[in-house]
Amino acid sequence: MQGDIKMVKRYRFGSPIETEAVLHKPDITERECEWLKKSEDGFFCRLPQETIVYGLGESIRGINKRGWLYRSFCSDEPEHREDKQSLYGAHNFLLLSGDVYRKEDTEDALPEQKNIGFFFDTPGEIVFDIGYTKRDRMEITFSDFDLELYVMEGESPDEVVSAFRELIGRSYIPPKWAFGYGQSRWSYETADDVRKVAEEHKRLKLPLDSVYLDIAYMERYKDFTIDEKNFGDFDSLVKEMKENRIHLVPIIDAGVKIEEGYDVYEEGKEKGYFCKDENGEDFTVGVWPGKCHFPDMLNEEARHWFGDKYHLLTDRGIDGFWNDMNEPAIFYSEKHLKKVFDRIDELKKENLDVDTYFEMTGLVAGSSNNLEDHKSFYHQYSEMPGEDRIRHDKVHNLYGYYMTRAAAEAFEELVPEKRILLFSRASYIGMHRYGGIWQGDNMSWWSHLLLNIKMMPSLNMCGFLYTGADLGGFGADVTEDLLIRFLSFGIFTPLMRNHSALGTRRQELYLFEKKEEILGVLKMRYRLLPYLYSEFMKAALRGTMMFRPLGFVYREDRIARQTEDQLLLGEELMLAPVHEQNQGGRPVYLPERMKFLRFRKGELLEEEVLERGYTFVEMPLGDICIFLREGHKLPLAESASHRNFENTEDVDYDNLVFCEFGDEIPDYEYYSDDGETKEYSLEKNIRML
Amino acid sequence: MQGDIKMVKRYRFGSPIETEAVLHKPDITERECEWLKKSEDGFFCRLPQETIVYGLGESIRGINKRGWLYRSFCSDEPEHREDKQSLYGAHNFLLLSGDVYRKEDTEDALPEQKNIGFFFDTPGEIVFDIGYTKRDRMEITFSDFDLELYVMEGESPDEVVSAFRELIGRSYIPPKWAFGYGQSRWSYETADDVRKVAEEHKRLKLPLDSVYLDIAYMERYKDFTIDEKNFGDFDSLVKEMKENRIHLVPIIDAGVKIEEGYDVYEEGKEKGYFCKDENGEDFTVGVWPGKCHFPDMLNEEARHWFGDKYHLLTDRGIDGFWNDMNEPAIFYSEKHLKKVFDRIDELKKENLDVDTYFEMTGLVAGSSNNLEDHKSFYHQYSEMPGEDRIRHDKVHNLYGYYMTRAAAEAFEELVPEKRILLFSRASYIGMHRYGGIWQGDNMSWWSHLLLNIKMMPSLNMCGFLYTGADLGGFGADVTEDLLIRFLSFGIFTPLMRNHSALGTRRQELYLFEKKEEILGVLKMRYRLLPYLYSEFMKAALRGTMMFRPLGFVYREDRIARQTEDQLLLGEELMLAPVHEQNQGGRPVYLPERMKFLRFRKGELLEEEVLERGYTFVEMPLGDICIFLREGHKLPLAESASHRNFENTEDVDYDNLVFCEFGDEIPDYEYYSDDGETKEYSLEKNIRML
């Protein structure tokens, strides 16, 4: 896959702040970039009509990012609507595929067929206007026009991605058990709630590898504490779960509660490890625990101190974490809220008319996550030793990345031999080396199942391989059919977790009626594990993508290039999930002859060779439909009827069966390792099967 | 179309409140309904897997309503997200098509193939759980279990709809000019803003029939007033526009501003025509004008009084109106807001933690349109002469209907010969006789273009024929491609209006770059007008649907039954609009051989016979793609190249050209009339062409 990389060029603009996103830096090119014209505060270029703009990782909208304005600024955004501009990640990578003009081209020049990647490496805000203001123009503007720009060309989109991934280093690799099914809820309120999940899964023979602990497990939402009242027997809970081969995965939030006697707070305060306001006082915000300080994750010493705290949980047998609220999310700052209250007092005295009414509702609604707050606190950034302090908004996009790095670096010290599950909500490219991400607080919307599908390749390009959406949807109420369709795609994503929010309909699998269908879907996950793990590891170790848009492979096929609700998985498979309600099947576009495989209840039920073109495929709820490319084979764990999967440990990675399509099928490169240690060698761990 | 209606049965439960939705009432059946079991507060029945549930008019989600919970309660809902339950209309009609069980059937009974319509006639809240709680069960519950239930069976869905439409009477018919293109914005702030729209359309030869006036034309948002400062020369503006054959269409809001010296307020107060609070005082709410009273539209005398006020505008040459905020929307009530302020005062004194913070934000966000306010005021309902007063929530769904009826009844008195354009935001079935509706405050979302498509047949079933969405989307920022795709479907909807909200990107057509594409789309609207008007009038006069789901016609075709992003228009056409971004075409399902017609710049560019099945059809922006059914012909106004359409008056309804498909094509039943008077006779106005 590592193709003939023509070149990677590195340009510098202004005085960039180091992000440590890029590990392997070429020398800075003195010449100007051929493809982008400079404006006062950024770049612009022409966008010929058929050129696809891939990239931007975790973003709303399509695989082709054309036709919208995206703002790279990690955001606590619970409504992933089409008109939003930012989600939790800042993934400043674009890949133009198709006709491109050189910047000095005259209006009548002919464009060239190109695949060009751009990485805009800067920790501040960027606005990507990709054909929003004008359909055939891209404009990229920076709040601070200080950045390193990396430009890479390739013969194919895959080549560009490989070149980029080489720059930014190897993606995070989780333990193998983290590929099992995980059940989550905001929140399991007691240890018995957790036990109930494990028991119900066991009773119904629904496999389960992990249960997630959202904020309720903590004492008053204090990081690294356990609530004595409801989780008093935490150690026995961990032990019990371990006996059942179930991993508990607690959440860690960015904000540290201000509470006398709470050691993390007191130590951080004493050592000066919290972010400061303009007067040098610890900056105070309201988040889940109430009033909090933010550990200064950009300060190396503070970062090591915070990371080391994870030992309080690893020491108790915990081997997985999710880092949350680390954009960082701010419900309110003391300063801002005072302003809001004062203004409401004034308004109250007036004869409230409609303008003042909307002023009030606007003030209150705008009190969370506002830019004014982001401009009100400061970091001591270790990468800028000359600087006294740096204002948060200038390095905003690094916070979640450095929080997750804090944990990952600590694990290297605490448990160097062992892989720890770690993923984050906020991220920047570079963080992909330290942890995965989940796709944030989505909704139980059909359109978010589609968004989940479209995000996978975009994230893979940017190095985020261990990822998945909250299956079933986090906010809003799920329906059984939506949950099953979400699961039916989720069985292919490395992170396979069902998570839902306080106040919404519960979506634990055992609560639904059609248990046979759900069980059949889950069984397929476990049968697919040898293949999924193998594909994941090859993508991580080779710097390739696990999920690719059809246009990456069928580059001359106009229909394939614009098909966004089908994906390629590895070299072998095409997926075409149902993502609309009341659809018992869907039209599938076959860019080449493929073998259609239908699995029901974990067993192969039907196979049929389908010709190139559109075919309507019946896909009743519970069926898993896979399209196998010609000349390939799909390894599967032994049939579920022979073996009951309780969790990943029950999967036999050595005795595989194969679905095949073609006359002369080359061997499948099968990667397999112990899944726990860090002996990742491709040479040692690949077998040809 | 009027088929062999097996029967319509009428059942009574409790003590129903008359809604005047049904004009032609059969006698009440003493037997029990065969299909629905009674629960304590409603009905339930089994839903076999393949049975489609059509209906519910203006609602979110699909044409098949299965898999969600809908609440029939007219709502000022600016976010038409998938997880919402109510929009502006209350359209309590369901049509079950497919397998149905009789209620006394045992578990192992075989279902029967049926098409059954249900109209639940009650003005209060209804919850339709259509396979939400359990996938194979429908449950309908009533806040007040008092209703008339009408049940109708037919050999086909069309027959059921015809039977229903016969019950509820003929749909509203607008003047012919109301089928032209209309431009709107919240708000054109001055008369010159309006002139600018007209001029720019003229300059670019973009046809235009109407300009809409949103709330800014009024003096301090007072109904039936004109702002002297910005619209001081209103009469000359109307005159000028008339000379340019452009109609001004002002908005009328439900709330009447409390202001001394404002005659509508003073008269209403003096005569006791406003809704009262529990103490018999005029109920006060905050809406656009600030503090307001609601005219009691249910009180016949008050209704006539309010309706008569429209003469203040018709006298000045206005012949079109849109009624808004008539769910009725309530930003706040004085009483409720006081509570909110008092609680905020208390919270402020506390050491605000995260719970109290969310209590505050919740209180403020919940101050609009809350049920407590709806339970705090009263009507004198003329249909309940025995009752002293009735609490609003019991008759909530009638308010917008009766406001629009007020206007329509007044027009019958004021200008009996003339058709007046009238449409409303809120509605109930029955209102379809008095006006159309627009599809409310949608967003510039691609998913709302799809929602627009899906709503058309659902609304048509319920008698709402004059309807359309805010093209381009009301809230959020539009992109040029979304606008063009919205227009490309909007040219087929009777109401074709571009409308957008304060604070969003402007979306007047002349502001975009690709004017050729936009002009080409608009020209097609005017070429289609003879056909669209003819189809509209036949649907109105015969009680049929203009837009039908594919499943209505291709009833045995499983793919057609579940295809929801294609529609049939009349007997002749199938539409398959592009509704996703960056799609230069789309797969189209042809349930039978059809002739594909491609129009560009208003001219037929290509025609091709396509066989049954899926075909990918290229549909670049600006092209209008139509599928003509075999054995049919499509009449079009003379080619746009021969004739420049400035507006509907330039369309020659007599000299038509035809696109045809088939060997022996029966004549097209062409309806045409003067478009202004009420001489609607089918016999007189239909010609066979």
Side-chain angles (χ1 to χ4, degrees):
Chain A
M1 190 55 72
Q2 205 93 331
D4 170 32
I5 306 307
K6 279 204 181 142
M7 64 189 80
V8 177
K9 287 184 184 153
R10 174 182 171 209
Y11 306 89
R12 171 171 286 184
F13 298 87
S15 312
I17 297 171
E18 177 59 52
T19 65
E20 302 194 357
V22 175
L23 287 189
H24 311 294
K25 299 188 182 186
D27 291 338
I28 291 172
T29 307
E30 292 306 325
R31 275 170 307 152
E32 294 208 338
C33 171
E34 297 158 90
W35 310 106
L36 302 177
K37 291 191 198 185
K38 248 174 86 174
S39 66
E40 204 180 315
D41 49 3
F43 308 105
F44 62 97
C45 69
R46 286 159 75 182
L47 272 190
Q49 192 175 330
E50 298 286 318
T51 305
I52 298 180
V53 182
Y54 294 109
L56 294 187
E58 187 186 36
S59 297
I60 53 158
R61 300 210 166 206
I63 291 176
N64 185 350
K65 308 313 285 184
R66 288 183 75 133
W68 194 239
L69 188 147
Y70 307 85
R71 180 171 164 258
S72 177
F73 197 78
C74 298
S75 298
D76 168 24
E77 177 50 78
E79 284 202 10
H80 309 175
R81 307 177 342 189
E82 284 180 46
D83 61 310
K84 295 298 172 107
Q85 299 174 340
S86 309
L87 293 179
Y88 314 86
H91 304 150
N92 308 330
F93 174 70
L94 297 182
L95 198 174
L96 270 61
S97 181
D99 287 346
V100 183
Y101 291 96
R102 287 182 193 273
K103 70 172 179 183
E104 64 274 17
D105 280 354
T106 52
E107 278 301 310
D108 56 353
L110 289 176
E112 299 167 49
Q113 272 281 335
K114 289 280 176 188
N115 295 287
I116 314 179
F118 299 91
F119 177 48
F120 304 90
D121 190 16
T122 170
E125 184 192 76
I126 310 178
V127 172
F128 294 92
D129 177 340
I130 307 178
Y132 166 77
T133 302
K134 289 179 176 231
R135 249 160 67 193
D136 47 11
R137 183 185 161 101
M138 178 163 76
E139 188 145 2
I140 301 158
T141 51
F142 300 81
S143 289
D144 298 297
F145 193 15
D146 301 294
L147 75 149
E148 300 228 318
L149 167 64
Y150 298 86
V151 180
M152 52 232 96
E153 284 183 55
E155 289 297 322
S156 67
D158 279 326
E159 271 191 20
V160 173
V161 169
S162 289
F164 178 52
R165 299 277 292 287
E166 222 177 291
L167 285 184
I168 59 172
R170 206 205 67 215
S171 298
Y172 162 76
I173 294 172
K176 205 186 261 179
W177 64 260
F179 289 79
Y181 178 74
Q183 181 61 53
S184 187
R185 173 77 178 177
W186 171 30
S187 274
Y188 297 120
E189 301 280 345
T190 67
D192 282 345
D193 283 356
V194 174
R195 289 186 180 99
K196 163 99 175 165
V197 173
E199 282 159 16
E200 290 291 305
H201 271 261
K202 191 155 199 161
R203 190 173 66 83
L204 295 166
K205 299 196 194 319
L206 287 163
L208 181 69
D209 273 87
S210 52
V211 179
Y212 286 77
L213 300 176
D214 208 318
I215 53 175
Y217 82 90
M218 293 182 270
E219 182 185 66
R220 292 186 292 284
Y221 307 143
K222 289 182 296 186
D223 281 340
F224 311 114
T225 69
I226 302 292
D227 181 58
E228 277 305 311
K229 187 163 159 275
N230 292 316
F231 287 87
D233 57 347
F234 189 72
D235 292 325
S236 21
L237 179 69
V238 175
K239 188 161 161 281
E240 257 173 79
M241 290 297 131
K242 199 154 269 183
E243 283 162 9
N244 284 297
R245 303 177 302 176
I246 291 168
H247 300 256
L248 288 182
V249 185
I251 198 168
I252 303 291
D253 276 3
V256 167
K257 185 175 175 60
I258 300 175
E259 186 180 282
E260 297 303 320
Y262 168 37
D263 53 354
V264 181
Y265 162 70
E266 293 196 336
E267 271 177 48
K269 188 179 170 71
E270 190 195 317
K271 296 189 170 160
Y273 286 160
F274 295 126
C275 293
K276 302 284 187 279
D277 67 15
E278 57 273 41
N279 304 317
E281 303 292 322
D282 292 340
F283 182 67
T284 301
V285 294
V287 217
W288 290 122
K291 287 182 189 163
C292 286
H293 295 319
F294 288 134
D296 188 354
M297 303 295 181
L298 277 70
N299 171 344
E300 197 170 344
E301 213 178 290
R303 184 162 79 240
H304 288 162
W305 163 77
F306 188 82
D308 186 60
K309 294 295 171 199
Y310 284 79
H311 85 85
L312 293 168
L313 290 159
T314 54
D315 286 354
R316 298 176 79 165
I318 294 298
D319 51 8
F321 297 90
W322 43 317
N323 286 344
D324 195 15
M325 302 293 282
N326 52 1
E327 293 72 29
I330 299 177
F331 293 157
Y332 57 89
S333 71
E334 278 196 312
K335 198 174 97 180
H336 188 86
L337 202 58
K338 189 174 175 317
K339 278 195 208 167
V340 170
F341 276 126
D342 289 350
R343 183 67 188 137
I344 289 180
D345 261 2
E346 283 173 34
L347 292 176
K348 198 187 149 188
K349 285 170 208 148
E350 294 175 27
N351 190 357
L352 203 73
D353 66 11
V354 72
D355 292 336
T356 50
Y357 174 74
F358 281 116
E359 185 186 336
M360 179 185 79
T361 55
L363 272 174
V364 171
S367 58
S368 289
N369 297 314
N370 63 73
L371 191 58
E372 192 195 326
D373 284 336
H374 285 127
K375 289 183 172 176
S376 302
F377 67 101
Y378 295 83
H379 298 273
Q380 279 195 291
Y381 185 24
S382 316
E383 283 302 318
M384 302 180 69
E387 298 284 331
D388 188 34
R389 61 180 195 179
I390 184 157
R391 208 174 68 194
H392 173 74
D393 59 303
K394 306 275 183 191
V395 290
H396 175 78
N397 288 337
L398 297 183
Y399 194 86
Y401 162 18
Y402 276 57
M403 176 188 180
T404 299
R405 182 173 173 177
E409 286 174 346
F411 300 147
E412 285 293 332
E413 301 288 321
L414 297 168
V415 280
E417 302 297 312
K418 198 177 161 185
R419 304 187 209 170
I420 300 286
L421 171 60
L422 178 63
F423 58 92
S424 173
R425 196 170 69 181
S427 60
Y428 182 82
I429 288 172
M431 202 205 84
H432 70 286
R433 301 192 299 269
Y434 300 102
I437 61 169
W438 86 99
Q439 292 167 15
D441 297 344
N442 64 352
M443 295 269 209
S444 297
W445 292 352
W446 289 86
S447 58
H448 279 182
L449 166 51
L450 183 57
L451 187 61
N452 182 193
I453 296 165
K454 292 180 180 179
M455 257 191 213
M456 293 305 294
S458 303
L459 282 169
N460 277 194
M461 285 174 216
C462 298
F464 293 93
L465 297 178
Y466 189 75
T467 185
D470 284 349
L471 302 177
F474 176 71
D477 291 323
V478 80
T479 55
E480 188 178 60
D481 55 349
L482 176 59
L483 179 61
I484 293 174
R485 293 299 188 193
F486 246 122
L487 291 169
S488 301
F489 176 66
I491 60 165
F492 298 101
T493 63
L495 168 60
M496 185 190 181
R497 179 176 78 144
N498 173 342
H499 183 43
S500 60
L502 190 71
T504 63
R505 186 179 188 175
R506 293 203 75 107
Q507 59 195 42
E508 284 80 4
L509 303 184
Y510 47 84
L511 298 174
F512 291 86
E513 266 199 303
K514 313 288 175 186
K515 295 188 176 62
E516 273 299 298
E517 291 172 2
I518 292 173
L519 181 60
V521 172
L522 238 60
K523 273 185 177 169
M524 270 313 288
R525 167 66 167 201
Y526 287 78
R527 291 201 69 191
L528 282 163
L529 274 176
Y531 174 69
L532 294 174
Y533 185 73
S534 169
E535 288 303 309
F536 179 92
M537 291 303 293
K538 288 187 292 183
L541 297 173
R542 291 175 173 160
T544 57
M545 291 160 70
M546 192 171 163
F547 291 90
R548 285 181 298 168
L550 267 53
F552 267 45
V553 172
Y554 308 99
R555 304 212 302 277
E556 305 302 316
D557 179 332
R558 279 177 54 74
I559 300 177
R561 279 168 63 87
Q562 72 166 49
T563 298
E564 298 209 344
D565 65 350
Q566 301 179 198
L567 295 177
L568 294 165
L569 169 50
E571 292 296 326
E572 292 73 22
L573 307 185
M574 186 178 76
L575 307 178
V578 171
H579 53 81
E580 288 175 83
Q581 194 161 29
N582 297 319
Q583 304 291 299
R586 55 163 285 181
V588 175
Y589 178 65
L590 293 139
E592 60 175 325
R593 228 155 72 99
M594 294 189 190
K595 187 187 263 185
F596 165 65
L597 308 172
R598 178 191 305 284
F599 294 89
R600 189 172 292 169
K601 298 179 184 178
E603 304 295 330
L604 183 64
L605 186 74
E606 180 192 350
E607 46 185 347
E608 187 189 354
V609 174
L610 299 176
E611 297 302 322
R612 183 163 186 261
Y614 274 97
T615 310
F616 184 89
V617 180
E618 294 282 350
M619 301 185 185
L621 282 163
D623 280 14
I624 297 299
C625 298
I626 296 176
F627 301 84
L628 181 59
R629 293 175 68 193
E630 191 155 11
H632 289 281
K633 54 184 171 184
L634 167 67
L636 289 172
E638 255 181 60
S639 160
S641 62
H642 306 139
R643 183 178 276 275
N644 233 331
F645 302 118
E646 276 188 12
N647 60 36
T648 43
E649 290 182 33
D650 290 335
V651 175
D652 184 343
Y653 284 80
D654 291 319
N655 290 307
L656 302 175
V657 294
F658 291 89
C659 296
E660 301 182 330
F661 178 35
D663 294 331
E664 287 181 40
I665 304 168
D667 282 349
Y668 173 72
E669 286 191 301
Y670 180 60
Y671 179 100
S672 169
D673 64 16
D674 65 21
E676 292 175 15
T677 69
K678 297 174 180 172
E679 303 295 327
Y680 301 134
S681 154
L682 276 172
E683 293 71 35
K684 274 204 274 181
N685 296 324
I686 281 192
R687 279 176 287 161
M688 303 306 286
L689 298 181
Chain B
M1 191 55 75
Q2 205 91 332
D4 171 32
I5 308 307
K6 279 203 181 144
M7 64 190 79
V8 178
K9 287 183 184 155
R10 174 181 170 208
Y11 305 90
R12 171 172 285 183
F13 299 87
S15 312
I17 297 171
E18 177 61 50
T19 65
E20 302 194 357
V22 174
L23 288 188
H24 311 293
K25 299 188 183 186
D27 291 338
I28 292 172
T29 307
E30 293 305 324
R31 276 168 307 151
E32 294 207 340
C33 171
E34 296 159 90
W35 310 107
L36 302 176
K37 292 191 197 185
K38 247 173 86 173
S39 67
E40 204 179 314
D41 49 3
F43 308 104
F44 63 97
C45 69
R46 287 159 75 182
L47 272 190
Q49 191 174 330
E50 299 285 320
T51 304
I52 298 179
V53 182
Y54 294 109
L56 294 187
E58 188 186 34
S59 297
I60 53 157
R61 299 209 168 209
I63 291 176
N64 185 350
K65 309 312 287 184
R66 288 184 74 135
W68 194 239
L69 187 148
Y70 307 85
R71 180 171 164 258
S72 177
F73 196 78
C74 297
S75 297
D76 169 24
E77 177 51 77
E79 285 202 11
H80 310 173
R81 306 176 345 188
E82 284 180 45
D83 61 310
K84 294 297 172 105
Q85 299 174 341
S86 308
L87 293 181
Y88 315 85
H91 304 150
N92 308 329
F93 173 71
L94 297 181
L95 197 174
L96 270 61
S97 180
D99 287 347
V100 183
Y101 290 96
R102 286 181 194 273
K103 68 172 181 184
E104 65 274 15
D105 280 353
T106 52
E107 277 303 310
D108 56 353
L110 289 176
E112 298 166 50
Q113 273 280 337
K114 288 282 177 188
N115 295 287
I116 314 178
F118 299 91
F119 177 49
F120 304 90
D121 190 16
T122 170
E125 185 193 75
I126 311 178
V127 172
F128 294 92
D129 177 340
I130 306 178
Y132 167 77
T133 301
K134 291 181 175 227
R135 249 159 68 194
D136 48 11
R137 182 185 161 99
M138 177 163 77
E139 189 145 2
I140 300 158
T141 52
F142 300 81
S143 290
D144 298 297
F145 195 13
D146 301 295
L147 75 149
E148 301 228 319
L149 167 63
Y150 297 86
V151 180
M152 50 232 98
E153 283 183 57
E155 289 298 320
S156 67
D158 279 325
E159 272 192 19
V160 173
V161 168
S162 290
F164 177 52
R165 299 277 293 287
E166 223 177 291
L167 284 184
I168 60 173
R170 206 205 67 216
S171 299
Y172 162 76
I173 294 173
K176 204 187 261 179
W177 63 262
F179 289 80
Y181 177 74
Q183 181 61 53
S184 187
R185 173 78 179 178
W186 170 31
S187 272
Y188 297 120
E189 300 280 345
T190 66
D192 282 346
D193 284 356
V194 174
R195 288 185 181 101
K196 162 101 173 163
V197 173
E199 283 158 16
E200 290 292 303
H201 271 261
K202 191 155 199 160
R203 189 173 67 81
L204 295 166
K205 299 195 193 321
L206 287 162
L208 180 69
D209 273 86
S210 52
V211 179
Y212 286 77
L213 300 176
D214 207 318
I215 53 175
Y217 81 92
M218 293 182 270
E219 182 184 67
R220 293 187 289 284
Y221 307 144
K222 289 182 296 186
D223 281 340
F224 312 113
T225 69
I226 303 292
D227 181 57
E228 277 304 311
K229 186 161 160 276
N230 292 315
F231 287 87
D233 57 347
F234 190 73
D235 292 326
S236 20
L237 179 70
V238 176
K239 190 163 160 280
E240 257 173 79
M241 290 296 132
K242 198 153 270 181
E243 282 161 11
N244 284 296
R245 303 177 303 176
I246 291 168
H247 300 256
L248 287 182
V249 186
I251 198 168
I252 303 290
D253 276 3
V256 168
K257 184 174 176 60
I258 300 175
E259 184 180 283
E260 297 303 319
Y262 169 37
D263 53 353
V264 180
Y265 161 70
E266 293 196 337
E267 270 178 48
K269 189 179 169 73
E270 189 196 317
K271 296 190 170 159
Y273 287 159
F274 295 126
C275 293
K276 302 284 186 280
D277 68 14
E278 57 273 42
N279 304 317
E281 303 293 321
D282 292 339
F283 181 67
T284 301
V285 293
V287 218
W288 291 122
K291 287 181 191 163
C292 287
H293 296 319
F294 287 134
D296 188 353
M297 304 293 182
L298 277 69
N299 172 342
E300 196 170 344
E301 214 178 290
R303 183 162 79 240
H304 287 162
W305 163 77
F306 188 82
D308 185 60
K309 294 295 171 199
Y310 284 78
H311 85 84
L312 293 167
L313 289 159
T314 53
D315 286 354
R316 298 176 79 166
I318 295 297
D319 51 8
F321 297 90
W322 43 315
N323 286 343
D324 195 14
M325 303 292 283
N326 52 1
E327 293 73 28
I330 299 177
F331 293 158
Y332 57 88
S333 71
E334 280 198 308
K335 198 174 97 182
H336 188 85
L337 202 58
K338 188 172 175 319
K339 278 195 206 166
V340 170
F341 277 125
D342 290 349
R343 183 66 188 139
I344 289 180
D345 261 2
E346 283 173 34
L347 292 176
K348 198 186 151 188
K349 285 171 207 148
E350 293 175 28
N351 188 357
L352 203 74
D353 66 11
V354 72
D355 292 337
T356 50
Y357 174 74
F358 281 116
E359 185 186 337
M360 180 186 78
T361 55
L363 271 173
V364 172
S367 58
S368 289
N369 298 315
N370 63 73
L371 192 58
E372 192 195 325
D373 283 337
H374 285 126
K375 288 184 172 175
S376 301
F377 67 101
Y378 296 84
H379 298 272
Q380 278 195 292
Y381 186 24
S382 316
E383 283 302 320
M384 303 180 69
E387 299 283 329
D388 189 33
R389 61 180 196 179
I390 184 157
R391 208 173 67 194
H392 172 74
D393 60 302
K394 307 275 183 190
V395 290
H396 173 78
N397 289 336
L398 298 184
Y399 193 85
Y401 161 19
Y402 276 55
M403 177 190 180
T404 300
R405 182 173 173 179
E409 287 173 346
F411 300 146
E412 286 293 332
E413 302 288 321
L414 297 167
V415 279
E417 302 297 312
K418 198 177 162 185
R419 304 187 208 170
I420 299 287
L421 170 60
L422 179 63
F423 58 93
S424 172
R425 195 169 71 180
S427 60
Y428 182 82
I429 289 171
M431 202 205 83
H432 70 286
R433 300 191 300 268
Y434 299 102
I437 61 170
W438 86 99
Q439 291 167 15
D441 297 345
N442 65 352
M443 294 270 209
S444 296
W445 292 352
W446 290 86
S447 58
H448 280 181
L449 166 52
L450 183 57
L451 187 61
N452 181 194
I453 296 166
K454 292 181 180 178
M455 257 191 213
M456 293 304 295
S458 304
L459 282 169
N460 277 193
M461 285 173 216
C462 299
F464 293 93
L465 297 178
Y466 189 76
T467 184
D470 284 350
L471 302 177
F474 177 70
D477 291 324
V478 79
T479 55
E480 188 178 61
D481 55 350
L482 176 59
L483 179 60
I484 294 174
R485 294 298 189 194
F486 245 122
L487 291 169
S488 301
F489 176 66
I491 60 165
F492 298 101
T493 64
L495 168 59
M496 184 190 182
R497 179 177 78 144
N498 173 342
H499 184 43
S500 60
L502 190 71
T504 63
R505 185 179 189 176
R506 294 203 74 107
Q507 59 195 42
E508 284 80 4
L509 303 183
Y510 47 83
L511 299 174
F512 291 87
E513 266 199 304
K514 313 289 175 189
K515 295 191 175 60
E516 274 299 298
E517 291 173 5
I518 291 174
L519 181 60
V521 172
L522 237 59
K523 273 187 177 167
M524 271 313 288
R525 167 64 166 201
Y526 287 78
R527 291 201 70 192
L528 282 163
L529 274 176
Y531 174 69
L532 294 173
Y533 186 74
S534 169
E535 287 304 309
F536 178 92
M537 291 303 293
K538 288 187 292 182
L541 297 173
R542 290 176 174 159
T544 57
M545 291 159 71
M546 193 172 162
F547 292 91
R548 286 180 297 168
L550 268 53
F552 267 45
V553 172
Y554 308 100
R555 304 211 302 277
E556 305 302 316
D557 179 333
R558 278 176 55 74
I559 300 177
R561 279 168 63 87
Q562 72 166 49
T563 299
E564 297 208 344
D565 65 350
Q566 302 178 198
L567 295 177
L568 294 165
L569 169 49
E571 292 296 325
E572 292 74 22
L573 307 185
M574 186 178 76
L575 307 178
V578 171
H579 53 81
E580 287 175 84
Q581 194 161 29
N582 296 319
Q583 304 291 299
R586 56 162 286 182
V588 176
Y589 179 65
L590 293 140
E592 61 175 324
R593 228 155 72 98
M594 293 189 190
K595 186 188 265 185
F596 165 65
L597 309 172
R598 177 190 306 283
F599 294 88
R600 188 173 292 169
K601 299 180 184 178
E603 304 295 329
L604 184 64
L605 185 76
E606 180 192 349
E607 46 185 347
E608 187 188 355
V609 173
L610 299 175
E611 296 302 320
R612 184 164 185 260
Y614 274 98
T615 309
F616 184 89
V617 180
E618 295 282 349
M619 300 186 186
L621 283 163
D623 280 14
I624 296 300
C625 298
I626 297 175
F627 302 84
L628 180 60
R629 292 176 68 193
E630 191 155 14
H632 289 281
K633 54 183 170 186
L634 167 66
L636 289 172
E638 254 181 60
S639 160
S641 62
H642 305 140
R643 183 178 275 274
N644 233 334
F645 302 118
E646 276 188 13
N647 61 36
T648 43
E649 289 182 32
D650 291 333
V651 175
D652 184 344
Y653 284 80
D654 292 320
N655 290 307
L656 303 174
V657 294
F658 291 88
C659 297
E660 302 183 330
F661 178 34
D663 293 330
E664 287 181 40
I665 305 168
D667 282 348
Y668 172 72
E669 286 191 301
Y670 180 58
Y671 180 99
S672 168
D673 63 16
D674 65 21
E676 292 174 16
T677 68
K678 296 175 180 171
E679 303 295 325
Y680 300 134
S681 155
L682 276 173
E683 292 71 35
K684 274 203 274 181
N685 296 323
I686 280 192
R687 278 175 289 160
M688 303 305 286
L689 297 180

